[in-house]
Amino acid sequence: MGKISDRAKNMAESATLKMARLAGELKEQGKDIISLSLGEPDFNVPEYIKAAAKQAIDDNFSHYPPVPGYKDFREVICNKFKNENGLNYTPEQIVVSTGAKHSLMNIMLAVVNPGDEVVLPAPYWVSYIEMVKFAEGKPVIIDTSIETDFKITPEQLKGALSPKTKAFVFSNPCNPSGSSYTKEELSALVEVFKEHDCYIVSDEIYEYINFVEPNTSLGCFEEIKDRVITVNGVSKGFAMTGWRIGFIGAPLEVAKACAKVQGQFTSGANAIAQRASLVALRDKKDEVKKMRDVFLQRRDLLIELLSPIEGLKLNVPQGAFYLFPDVSGLLGKSANGKKINNVGELCEFLLEDCMVATTPGDAFGCPKNIRISYANSEEQLKEAAKRIKNSLGKLS
Ligand code: PMP
Ligand code: GLU
């Protein structure tokens, strides 16, 4: 009898973390890997945030913090939501967790009953689908394509929502497509949500990395605001992925349920990282905007370098730090005596042939695409583009 639970066995390994692991192992073996697989800023944490963390240690923030987060941190989060996003949450509606990933898992466990449907537009972020399944919910996928910038239409949304829908979950700006919905586009979706009594989870972790307009929070629409769960955190905007702080603003009953779940699994999030994140948000500095500007330059550079490559169909993503090209034109071709049958094999080929790590789109619900992260230096991006061009040129 196998000893590992079906629950653990049936869970897919995170494709983003898997590629990062494989790339890391090859690097350790001395291979000259360029990693465009993991979605994390390559910048250092701004100095004022580091100083706040050091101060927190000296101030002896060494005890268990309150389960939903320090009250003054939750107040700062409320102010951030109010001033930047037009969202009115009270501190009781905020729960701070160990990264936005943890926030999302809390939400799934707090709202999804076995058999409940959870609607996910594809591409969805890898972990959403596994979380839904872990909570014994049923994922309902809305397909999109590069031709529509991977955005769903109100008609598609209407077709996917049903009386069994417990929640809709999306990221905006989107990981992996980089798409960002305009206020008008969101408003059209709100017209559909108005008719369906489900929770709407708006993952805004890439909020500050938006190249078109300030990000619009779904929760600012009056008609649905009581059902919106807003997810955010410091990982992306402040380059603090390793500090593991995420948070939600949610209807009171959801916030309470998330805190209860968290109280049994992890207790409150790391005390020092919370104190530093409080200062990160309260005293937000120009660095956040500067990092965003650098990402924009890199996006344009990489699009310019990759566009001429045959077989890569690109769009211009409006946010985050990913390109999500359609590579269906390359599937079925061969190189080095091996046929490339799917995007997983294409990513393996790129890793083996030119040592560039990317992530297969099937993990995001899009088997025609691959994800290329441009959270890397210009120099590395130029070198990666050269290598990709050379390797894909071998396919026939
Ligand atoms: N949501 C999305 C869309 C993400 O891309 C990620 C991962 N970066 C997360 C949530 C989780 O972020 P965190 O590092 O705060 O757990
Ligand atoms: N979210 C990032 C990504 O999509 C980090 C990895 C992860 O947490 O899955 O690459």
Side-chain angles (χ1 to χ4, degrees):
M1 185 188 68
K3 293 200 171 105
I4 299 302
S5 72
D6 293 344
R7 188 181 289 119
K9 272 194 281 193
N10 293 338
M11 182 178 261
E13 180 179 0
S14 160
T16 49
L17 298 180
K18 181 177 171 187
M19 281 310 279
R21 176 173 60 74
L22 291 177
E25 282 167 11
L26 291 169
K27 257 187 200 166
E28 267 175 28
Q29 291 166 20
K31 300 253 166 71
D32 176 23
I33 301 287
I34 301 180
S35 182
L36 307 185
S37 54
L38 192 61
E40 71 169 337
D42 53 323
F43 301 108
N44 289 328
V45 174
E47 288 303 324
Y48 79 101
I49 303 174
K50 289 191 208 169
K54 291 172 196 163
Q55 188 64 48
I57 294 174
D58 288 340
D59 290 345
N60 295 308
F61 279 94
S62 50
H63 299 280
Y64 285 124
V67 169
Y70 288 111
K71 175 92 184 295
D72 54 351
F73 183 27
R74 285 183 285 130
E75 277 163 0
V76 165
I77 293 169
C78 287
N79 289 338
K80 176 251 175 297
F81 276 147
K82 191 171 179 51
N83 299 333
E84 296 185 351
N85 310 103
L87 305 175
N88 288 306
Y89 292 113
T90 63
E92 292 68 37
Q93 293 176 276
I94 306 293
V95 181
V96 177
S97 302
T98 304
K101 190 181 259 183
H102 184 208
S103 302
L104 285 155
M105 191 65 224
N106 280 342
I107 295 167
M108 300 299 175
L109 293 175
V111 308
V112 176
N113 274 322
D116 281 352
E117 292 182 358
V118 178
V119 175
L120 306 174
Y124 42 76
W125 180 47
V126 267
S127 296
Y128 295 161
I129 191 156
E130 292 303 319
M131 290 176 177
V132 172
K133 289 189 206 157
F134 199 79
E136 297 179 54
K138 185 169 167 261
V140 174
I141 310 300
I142 307 179
D143 287 321
T144 65
S145 74
I146 201 161
E147 276 74 29
T148 54
D149 278 335
F150 304 101
K151 291 180 184 175
I152 58 165
T153 61
E155 291 70 32
Q156 282 182 301
L157 180 63
K158 202 170 173 178
L161 296 175
S162 83
K164 286 195 192 151
T165 308
K166 183 51 90 59
F168 169 91
V169 185
F170 83 144
S171 58
N172 187 42
C174 173
N175 174 6
S177 69
S179 300
S180 170
Y181 287 81
T182 63
K183 193 163 190 174
E184 289 66 37
E185 286 164 342
L186 290 177
S187 172
L189 298 181
V190 167
E191 289 304 307
V192 181
F193 283 127
K194 261 174 26 185
E195 309 301 324
H196 287 267
D197 185 20
C198 63
Y199 289 116
I200 302 151
V201 181
S202 181
D203 179 349
E204 300 172 9
I205 190 98
Y206 292 94
E207 170 190 14
Y208 295 138
I209 309 166
N210 187 326
F211 311 131
V212 278
E213 53 178 47
N215 203 51
T216 302
S217 288
L218 248 187
C220 75
F221 290 90
E222 199 57 33
E223 305 93 315
I224 57 162
K225 69 174 201 289
D226 296 338
R227 293 188 275 127
V228 175
I229 306 171
T230 309
V231 179
N232 211 322
V234 294
S235 285
K236 311 292 169 170
F238 297 90
M240 290 169 69
T241 46
W243 297 54
R244 312 304 305 125
I245 294 293
F247 47 83
I248 59 165
L252 190 58
E253 76 274 9
V254 175
K256 280 185 174 165
C258 286
K260 187 164 76 171
V261 168
Q262 175 163 307
Q264 289 292 14
F265 288 168
T266 61
S267 304
N270 180 286
I272 295 152
Q274 282 198 55
R275 301 313 296 168
S277 300
L278 180 158
V279 175
L281 291 183
R282 189 194 59 200
D283 303 343
K284 195 165 127 231
K285 302 251 190 295
D286 276 357
E287 273 126 304
V288 173
K289 164 92 171 42
K290 283 190 195 142
M291 289 190 268
R292 172 243 177 236
D293 293 347
V294 174
F295 283 130
L296 177 56
Q297 283 167 13
R298 292 173 181 177
R299 179 199 71 176
D300 291 343
L301 172 74
L302 200 57
I303 289 180
E304 190 190 316
L305 295 173
L306 296 181
S307 292
I309 301 178
E310 215 178 307
L312 288 187
K313 198 196 282 176
L314 290 156
N315 68 336
V316 181
Q318 304 93 355
F321 35 65
Y322 309 104
L323 302 184
F324 200 54
D326 180 322
V327 294
S328 50
L330 299 172
L331 303 181
K333 296 195 173 190
S334 302
N336 311 338
K338 226 163 119 185
K339 192 168 166 205
I340 310 267
N341 296 299
N342 53 51
V343 283
E345 291 179 9
L346 185 68
C347 291
E348 272 169 35
F349 166 68
L350 287 175
L351 190 60
E352 281 164 19
D353 195 70
C354 67
M355 291 182 282
V356 175
T358 53
T359 310
D362 51 354
F364 303 91
C366 292
K368 287 185 184 172
N369 302 72
I370 63 171
R371 190 186 78 172
I372 303 176
S373 161
Y374 52 86
N376 211 326
S377 69
E378 273 199 16
E379 200 194 337
Q380 289 270 286
L381 293 176
K382 283 184 188 159
E383 174 61 22
K386 212 162 51 179
R387 292 189 195 181
I388 292 173
K389 184 168 182 216
N390 184 40
S391 285
L392 295 185
K394 295 180 190 171
L395 292 173
S396 60

